[in-house]
Amino acid sequence: MEAELAVLAGTAGTTLVTLLTTEAWQRVSDGITSLWRRAEPERAEAISAELEVARTDLLAARETGDSGTGGELGAEWQGRIRRLLVAHPEEAEVLRALLDELRPALPDVPAVTQHATASGHARVYQAGRDQQIASS
């Protein structure tokens, strides 16, 4: 169950950060805040404020060409959401419904499929983005 919650939290963290700078950001903020309001009401307002800060940080990072902030924020929110789901697994269905609702707002990203076969002493190096190989 914990692995399933981690995957769900990963999807949620990525979706949240992807949509924070789009027209859907208010729906994302409302949905995530509502999730906390149901599970841990005493933290809901702080979560809402932290989402606003994350949005501001992400907008500023995009203006300066900082591509690392999005990944950092995604990992941060993935961890928060995972911990919430571990403490309150009953909220997983609510989160799934929110993600289903938000799916149409996500930008189209082409799928990448990689296949490789190595035999003998061969090596295969694959990357979905940048890859650096340094010899020692």
Side-chain angles (χ1 to χ4, degrees), residues 64-127:
T64 63
D66 174 2
S67 60
T69 297
E72 292 169 359
L73 287 170
E76 178 183 329
W77 283 98
Q78 174 183 345
R80 288 178 184 200
I81 294 167
R82 187 195 63 76
R83 289 187 300 276
L84 179 77
L85 293 175
V86 167
H88 304 279
E90 69 279 4
E91 297 301 324
E93 281 306 312
V94 174
L95 181 58
R96 281 188 191 93
L98 175 63
L99 293 174
D100 287 344
E101 180 184 324
L102 295 171
R103 188 166 290 119
L106 287 169
D108 290 330
V109 177
V112 175
T113 304
Q114 296 180 342
H115 301 278
T117 304
S119 63
H121 297 289
R123 293 182 183 170
V124 175
Y125 299 95
Q126 292 182 305

Side-chain angles (χ1 to χ4, degrees), residues 25-75:
W25 81 270
Q26 190 62 57
R27 178 62 194 116
V28 171
S29 178
D30 291 348
I32 295 297
T33 301
S34 175
L35 188 69
W36 252 271
R37 191 169 285 114
R38 290 168 46 91
E40 297 178 2
E42 68 283 356
R43 294 196 55 220
E45 292 309 312
I47 289 296
S48 179
E50 290 168 20
L51 284 166
E52 292 284 340
V53 169
R55 181 174 192 272
T56 301
D57 289 350
L58 192 55
L59 287 168
R62 295 225 170 127
E63 282 185 20
T64 63
D66 174 2
S67 60
T69 297
E72 292 169 359
L73 287 170

